[in-house]
């Protein structure tokens, strides 16, 4: 689906900075990008979008449900497009590299724990921090 359609569906006005930032997020091999990563990619592409605009647009995208914000390593925020598919994360504490994974047994066990407590699981975020052996 085109960036313009995605923006309109999210209730956002189609502006050049929003389209450019959506294109960067969509085309990047790196699924988890900081605002600085997005800004650098825009600069490398010759697009004149300021860092403050990048932060503002990413916050708007988050509020509209287009991206998810993660604060992995002590507050350093990264963003990923919200494709509607749940997954958890593994973060290497040495390199900062982020891996995605999904494990049905872990998902089921979390639901069972919450159910045993008399609650319904509405959302969760699992992050495993690892380092090479």
């Amino acid at each position: 689906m085109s960036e313009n359609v995605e923006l309109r569906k999210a209730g956002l006005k189609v502006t050049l900075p929003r389209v450019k930032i959506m294109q960067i997020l969509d085309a990047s091999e790196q699924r988890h990008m900081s605002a600085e990563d997005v800004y650098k990619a825009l600069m490398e592409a010759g697009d004149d979008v300021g860092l403050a605009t990048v932060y503002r647009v990413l916050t708007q995208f988050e509020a509209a449900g287009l991206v998810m914000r993660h604060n992995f390593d002590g507050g350093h925020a990264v963003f990923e497009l919200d494709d509607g598919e749940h997954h958890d994360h593994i973060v290497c504490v040495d390199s900062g590299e982020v891996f995605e994974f999904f494990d049905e047994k872990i998902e089921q066990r979390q639901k069972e724990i919450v159910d045993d407590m008399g609650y319904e699981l509405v959302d969760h975020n699992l992050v495993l921090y690892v380092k090479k052996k």
Side-chain angles (χ1 to χ4, degrees):
M1 190 175 298
S2 82
E3 287 79 11
N4 292 356
V5 172
E6 286 294 321
L7 291 171
R8 284 191 190 103
K9 277 180 58 179
L12 295 172
K13 183 178 174 187
V14 176
T15 65
L16 191 58
R18 286 179 181 152
V19 170
K20 296 283 187 187
I21 291 169
M22 184 63 81
Q23 287 173 340
I24 294 291
L25 292 170
D26 194 38
S28 176
E29 289 182 21
Q30 184 181 350
R31 267 190 56 86
H32 303 88
M33 298 181 77
S34 68
E36 292 81 6
D37 294 332
V38 173
Y39 175 71
K40 287 176 193 169
L42 288 165
M43 295 302 288
E44 288 170 7
D47 294 316
D48 187 24
V49 178
L51 184 57
T53 300
V54 171
Y55 275 106
R56 186 173 59 255
V57 168
L58 288 172
T59 301
Q60 292 166 347
F61 284 1
E62 180 186 16
L66 294 173
V67 300
M68 290 184 293
R69 177 192 307 248
H70 302 286
N71 294 304
F72 289 133
D73 56 6
H76 181 71
V78 293
F79 299 84
E80 70 174 307
L81 288 175
D82 187 351
D83 60 8
E85 296 291 321
H86 173 76
H87 58 269
D88 295 308
H89 296 93
I90 297 173
V91 178
C92 177
V93 296
D94 295 324
S95 68
E97 191 171 4
V98 178
F99 305 93
E100 296 177 354
F101 75 98
F102 178 82
D103 185 290
E104 186 57 48
K105 289 181 185 176
I106 291 173
E107 298 301 316
Q108 186 58 41
R109 185 65 187 123
Q110 291 174 115
K111 290 176 186 170
E112 291 168 2
I113 291 168
V114 171
D115 188 53
D116 289 347
M117 294 174 63
Y119 289 91
E120 177 185 354
L121 183 64
V122 294
D123 194 15
H124 79 278
N125 184 18
L126 176 65
V127 181
L128 304 176
Y129 294 91
V130 302
K131 65 179 183 175
K132 291 275 189 193
K133 292 183 180 180

